[in-house]
Amino acid sequence: MAALPLPALPEPQEAVAPVSRPSQRATGATPAHWTMSRSRQRIDSTVGSMNIRRVPFDHPDAMKLNDEVQAEYDVRYGDGGDATHLDPSDFAPPNGLYLIAYDENDVPVASGGWRGQDANDEGNLDGDAELKRMFVVEQVRGRGLARRILAALEEDARAAGRTRMVLETGTKQPEAVALYTSSGYEPCGKFGYYRFHEESLCYAKALEVP
């Protein structure tokens, strides 16, 4: 599979903490192989000394990063971590994608994914692509890595025919809000597991075809 370059972006100030509310460790099997059209070949790329790879959602490195972000959310919110249910199949193409960034020593340092959502009783709309697991470890924050992962996810969701990127974050994550609003996201109607929580903040961005 030919690698596709990540969108060229400037090196902005980056969120210095988890940039979405990822959920508790998911269980279940990931499909042995993914079927995808040529127009939706997934993105593997090197950004500076960081290598961004597509991986299954239940990959061991994904679990490692999940443990870290859950611990950080527990510190911020005191609730033991996000309780939203996720399944590895949610991120299997063509209905999703999960990315991990590795440093020069092949250590996983950042993650992000999207899963397809359509109109449901939790407030989603047809054509939604929901961001999950956006996280950068403390040691490499401030390098624009989250913004590059975000751009790659948006590009992939757009190619998959999704029309809107949505996310849920929280009031105790101002750096996440800054990242998303500076990337073109605007407040939207609340959705998802935390839609009735006062600390929940939801944002959306139209995925317009170039």
Side-chain angles (χ1 to χ4, degrees):
M1 182 185 304
L4 301 178
L6 284 173
L9 294 170
E11 294 290 348
Q13 290 296 313
E14 174 162 331
V16 295
V19 289
S20 64
R21 286 182 61 90
S23 69
Q24 294 175 334
R25 178 175 298 186
T27 59
T30 296
H33 45 274
W34 296 341
T35 301
M36 64 194 77
S37 67
R38 182 176 296 274
S39 65
R40 292 199 66 230
Q41 288 179 325
R42 292 299 189 268
I43 297 171
D44 293 325
S45 183
T46 299
V47 180
S49 60
M50 300 292 174
N51 183 261
I52 299 176
R53 307 174 197 162
R54 55 208 163 142
V55 301
F57 179 69
D58 55 358
H59 189 282
D61 291 338
M63 296 303 183
K64 177 180 182 296
L65 291 175
N66 182 60
D67 288 344
E68 293 187 34
V69 73
Q70 289 287 60
E72 188 157 342
Y73 272 114
D74 188 35
V75 171
R76 293 204 180 203
Y77 293 95
D79 59 3
D82 183 5
T84 306
H85 174 73
L86 298 178
D87 187 270
S89 63
D90 292 344
F91 298 88
N95 297 314
L97 175 68
Y98 187 67
L99 300 175
I100 289 182
Y102 293 83
D103 67 11
E104 61 274 13
N105 297 313
D106 210 35
V107 175
V109 295
S111 65
W114 73 266
R115 62 174 180 170
Q117 294 276 30
D118 289 304
N120 57 36
D121 58 5
E122 290 193 344
N124 287 104
L125 303 179
D126 285 343
D128 279 355
E130 182 185 5
L131 282 169
K132 301 298 294 183
R133 291 295 197 279
M134 289 290 291
F135 175 63
V136 180
V137 301
E138 186 174 3
Q139 296 90 328
V140 298
R141 291 170 186 170
R143 302 184 188 182
L145 188 55
R147 197 175 296 266
R148 291 184 182 274
I149 291 176
L150 177 61
L153 294 172
E154 290 176 351
E155 181 177 300
D156 187 78
R158 183 183 299 110
R162 295 281 122 181
T163 57
R164 188 177 76 146
M165 202 70 135
V166 298
L167 65 99
E168 190 267 339
T169 184
T171 57
K172 296 182 180 180
Q173 297 160 257
E175 55 281 81
V177 174
L179 171 68
Y180 292 125
T181 56
S182 66
S183 299
Y185 287 78
E186 298 181 349
C188 68
K190 288 189 176 184
F191 65 90
Y193 184 88
Y194 291 97
R195 63 192 181 280
F196 300 121
H197 289 233
E198 291 184 0
E199 293 179 332
S200 174
L201 300 172
C202 292
Y203 291 85
K205 177 181 178 178
L207 294 175
E208 299 178 353
V209 177

